[in-house]
Amino acid sequence: MDNRTYGYVRVSSKEQNEERQVKALLENGVEERYIFIDKQSGKDTNRPQYQILKNALRCGDTVIIKSLDRFSRSYKDIIEEYADITKRIGANLVILDLPLLDTRQNDDLLKHFINDLVLQILGFVSETERKYIKQRQKEGIEIAKSKGTKFGRKRIEKPSNWNEVISKWKNGEMTGVRAYTELGLKETTFYKLLREERKGK
């Protein structure tokens, strides 16, 4: 069986566009049918398409990714997955933004040593940056709260004619559809306010 070249793409959410990564993989010889895409956080490797890719990998195959953080944002996961792919499975790993980590070129012990060392340094930097970002976000929220900024969803106020309309609705004088229409509310908002009112009693 001939060895295959796979591509892996990850974006953090469904709203983000994966085209830039896909284009880079296609330009580097990966067939579209062998590109696996996850739209999920990189906090760990528990991603459906990534796991399918790993199960498909055989010794001598190659996995190409655009950058290290597409692989994972966790230092521990980066090291473990790198070792799993290149050593346990025996496949090659190519990171386009880091040509030094192209294991197809590593034929001697010194290169393997340098590769592992560089990977550990980069993995550590990647995770440290992620922690710094979270810390900065936390500090920003705390500063905003100290200045009186409120977070969370804005409380929905009841319309001025709420009591009048609800009274008619409860007495069977109008349907629910007519009630939330007259109140100028969406159906979900109407029933949410009703539930909150009942809880408050």
Side-chain angles (χ1 to χ4, degrees), residues 137-152:
Q137 289 174 338
K138 182 180 178 182
E139 289 171 355
I141 291 171
E142 288 174 354
I143 290 170
K145 282 183 176 179
S146 70
K147 293 181 178 180
T149 303
K150 294 183 179 180
F151 293 87

Side-chain angles (χ1 to χ4, degrees), residues 52-173:
I52 291 172
L53 167 61
K54 279 191 68 177
N55 288 331
L57 276 178
R58 298 293 179 266
C59 182
D61 288 344
T62 298
V63 179
I64 301 179
I65 61 176
K66 181 71 171 65
S67 58
L68 188 66
D69 62 354
R70 300 305 89 193
F71 195 39
S72 177
R73 289 189 180 276
S74 163
Y75 166 69
K76 176 175 174 288
D77 286 341
I78 287 172
I79 301 303
E80 288 180 355
E81 293 303 310
Y82 173 82
D84 205 31
I85 289 173
T86 62
K87 295 172 183 177
R88 184 184 67 81
I89 298 174
N92 292 304
L93 182 61
V94 179
I95 300 171
L96 297 177
D97 289 352
L98 294 167
L100 186 63
L101 294 181
D102 185 343
T103 62
R104 296 173 300 183
Q105 311 302 320
N106 293 352
D107 298 323
D108 56 60
L109 188 60
L110 178 60
K111 285 185 178 180
H112 274 295
F113 171 75
I114 293 172
N115 220 22
D116 286 352
L117 182 61
V118 170
L119 184 75
Q120 291 196 40
I121 292 170
L122 290 170
F124 175 76
V125 170
S126 177
E127 179 162 329
T128 301
E129 177 60 20
R130 181 169 171 263
K131 288 179 179 177
Y132 280 153
I133 289 171
K134 292 181 76 173
Q135 181 62 30
R136 288 195 292 268
Q137 289 174 338
K138 182 180 178 182
E139 289 171 355
I141 291 171
E142 288 174 354
I143 290 170
K145 282 183 176 179
S146 70
K147 293 181 178 180
T149 303
K150 294 183 179 180
F151 293 87
R153 292 183 178 179
K154 187 178 179 181
R155 183 178 177 82
I156 301 169
E157 297 296 331
K158 294 176 182 176
S160 58
N161 59 336
W162 171 266
N163 290 333
E164 178 189 348
V165 172
I166 292 303
S167 177
K168 290 181 179 179
W169 174 70
K170 286 180 178 179
N171 292 331
E173 296 175 36

